[in-house]
Amino acid sequence: MFRKFSKMVMASFLAIGISALSFPVYAAEQPIQIKIGSPAPETLPFIPAFHEMANFIEKESNGKYQVTVYPQYKLGTISTEMQGLQMGTIHFVHDGTNNIAQFIPLLGAFDYPYVFSNMEQVNHIFSGDFEKRLMEKVSNKNLKCLGFANSTLRNMLTTKPAKNLDDIRKMKIRVTSSKVHVNSLKGMGISVTPMPFSEVYTGIQQGVVEGLDLDYPYIASMRLYEVAPYALETNHMYSPQVLYTGVKWWNSLPEEDRKMFEKAVQLWLEKSDLLLEEELERSKQQCIDGGTTIRTIDEAELARWQEAAKPSYEMMTPAQKELYNEIQTELKSAGLKK
């Protein structure tokens, strides 16, 4: 009876052109794609750290997630990336406060000169309870701050020797498009020219600008010492690197997955800081080997720069000024500021 029934079923399949060998084979469920956006080139520490983060996520999730890192704005402009976060089509984005402040205005407080004067101050603020409170302050209903990765202090790089603020004031200095960056240096009496980073090398070659303010890793990555071989270590500005995700996507994650991503983020933060410390030493030496002459400023000259920066603080919004005062109070209480 069973054999007769089987023959009848097979005959039916053959009648409509289907054989047992043509049954559909369903592929395994495809991994969920995770996109990470960054402004940094592959050579800077943030990208290798992201690759480690990606490997961690793929391994810990047993292939549930597949992660792709997009350096140098390959996902689009910072505006495109931040919109992608809110829509859930991009999942992690990091950038400097000078770029993200247009979406989270409070972060603009970090784009003023001499909020910090040294890395000891920086490391104190971006750790412990103060950092946790800060992360909450710079999150909103659409964007969630996941942490701050270290950056390095900016210095002046010029085409001719400069030993003090007066010398810098005689030159045309390239700045970012950040209004705070532009207006704060302009308020110090410096002649500034906003210019995309990708155009700086040619701009210096052609004499459009005579220098810029930047940190050593970025100077080395673009070999800017070839066209501007003089560095004046002013340590006048620090723009922390901030990592964001979208609230909508983050809240949609199963609790187990969210904990896994939190560990991955912590891995990125720690690895970025470790690699940046090594990169700062390496990139500074690359600049020296490339012909850079480095001059530092003494305490008296530093005081002049800091005094010149004070009028720019009047441009802060009330919320930015409040955060700035909180930072300075915290530094004083920790004995890190006179």
Side-chain angles (χ1 to χ4, degrees), residues 232-246:
L232 182 64
E233 290 193 340
T234 53
N235 292 334
H236 61 278
M237 193 173 288
Y238 178 88
S239 296
Q241 299 291 314
V242 198
L243 183 67
Y244 273 92
T245 190

Side-chain angles (χ1 to χ4, degrees), residues 1 31 43 49 68 98 107 138 156 179 227 254 256 261 334-335 338:
M1 182 69 180
T43 54
T68 306
N98 57 307
L107 287 174
V138 298
M156 291 290 178
K179 291 182 179 179
V227 289
E256 181 180 354
F261 279 113
K338 296 179 181 179

Side-chain angles (χ1 to χ4, degrees), residues 53-90:
M53 174 179 169
N55 291 336
F56 176 86
I57 292 169
E58 292 174 354
K59 182 178 179 181
E60 289 296 308
S61 69
N62 293 318
K64 177 180 179 179
Y65 295 98
Q66 185 176 67
V67 186
T68 306
V69 181
Y70 297 87
Q72 293 183 295
Y73 291 125
K74 289 184 178 178
L75 286 173
T77 64
I78 182 62
S79 296
T80 302
E81 290 183 334
M82 298 304 274
Q83 289 170 4
L85 286 183
Q86 295 180 63
M87 294 171 62
T89 55
I90 300 175

Side-chain angles (χ1 to χ4, degrees), residues 249-288:
W249 173 74
W250 187 260
N251 288 345
S252 73
L253 291 170
E255 183 177 357
E256 181 180 354
D257 289 9
R258 193 180 304 126
K259 289 180 179 180
M260 181 267 296
F261 279 113
E262 287 173 349
K263 291 180 181 179
V265 166
Q266 192 58 37
L267 172 65
W268 179 76
L269 292 169
E270 292 173 359
K271 192 66 177 181
S272 292
D273 289 354
L274 177 63
L275 292 176
L276 186 64
E277 187 175 343
E278 298 171 356
E279 176 63 16
L280 177 58
E281 183 177 347
R282 187 206 65 77
S283 59
K284 185 174 181 177
Q285 188 59 50
Q286 180 181 334
C287 291
I288 294 172

Side-chain angles (χ1 to χ4, degrees), residues 113-298:
Y114 293 107
V115 175
F116 305 106
S117 298
N118 55 61
M119 290 305 296
E120 187 179 10
Q121 293 178 352
V122 168
N123 292 333
H124 178 78
I125 291 300
F126 295 108
S127 63
D129 291 339
F130 195 95
E131 182 186 33
K132 291 177 182 177
R133 294 196 301 272
L134 182 58
M135 288 167 60
E136 292 179 2
K137 286 177 180 286
V138 298
S139 296
N140 60 30
K141 64 180 182 179
N142 296 315
L143 298 168
K144 179 179 178 63
C145 175
L146 295 175
F148 296 85
N150 262 349
S151 185
T152 49
L153 292 157
R154 286 176 177 257
N155 298 297
M156 291 290 178
L157 190 71
T158 57
T159 57
K160 50 191 175 184
K163 62 181 183 296
N164 53 38
L165 180 57
D166 293 332
D167 290 339
I168 296 296
R169 283 171 170 166
K170 297 173 184 176
M171 304 182 197
K172 294 177 291 184
I173 301 297
R174 176 267 177 184
V175 293
T176 68
S177 60
S178 163
K179 291 182 179 179
V180 173
H181 195 185
V182 171
N183 292 330
S184 59
L185 291 190
K186 187 184 293 185
M188 296 174 69
I190 298 172
S191 176
V192 299
T193 301
M195 181 182 294
F197 186 54
S198 59
E199 299 176 12
V200 172
Y201 193 103
T202 303
I204 294 175
Q205 274 187 321
Q206 296 176 347
V208 178
V209 292
E210 299 164 279
L212 70 156
D213 71 326
L214 201 60
D215 39 357
Y216 286 118
Y218 280 92
I219 293 171
S221 70
M222 291 288 285
R223 301 177 68 87
L224 292 171
Y225 49 80
E226 295 176 343
V227 289
Y230 299 97
L232 182 64
E233 290 193 340
T234 53
N235 292 334
H236 61 278
M237 193 173 288
Y238 178 88
S239 296
Q241 299 291 314
V242 198
L243 183 67
Y244 273 92
T245 190
V247 171
K248 180 180 179 181
W249 173 74
W250 187 260
N251 288 345
S252 73
L253 291 170
E255 183 177 357
E256 181 180 354
D257 289 9
R258 193 180 304 126
K259 289 180 179 180
M260 181 267 296
F261 279 113
E262 287 173 349
K263 291 180 181 179
V265 166
Q266 192 58 37
L267 172 65
W268 179 76
L269 292 169
E270 292 173 359
K271 192 66 177 181
S272 292
D273 289 354
L274 177 63
L275 292 176
L276 186 64
E277 187 175 343
E278 298 171 356
E279 176 63 16
L280 177 58
E281 183 177 347
R282 187 206 65 77
S283 59
K284 185 174 181 177
Q285 188 59 50
Q286 180 181 334
C287 291
I288 294 172
D289 294 342
T292 300
T293 300
I294 298 175
R295 181 190 291 269
T296 58
I297 59 176
D298 59 24

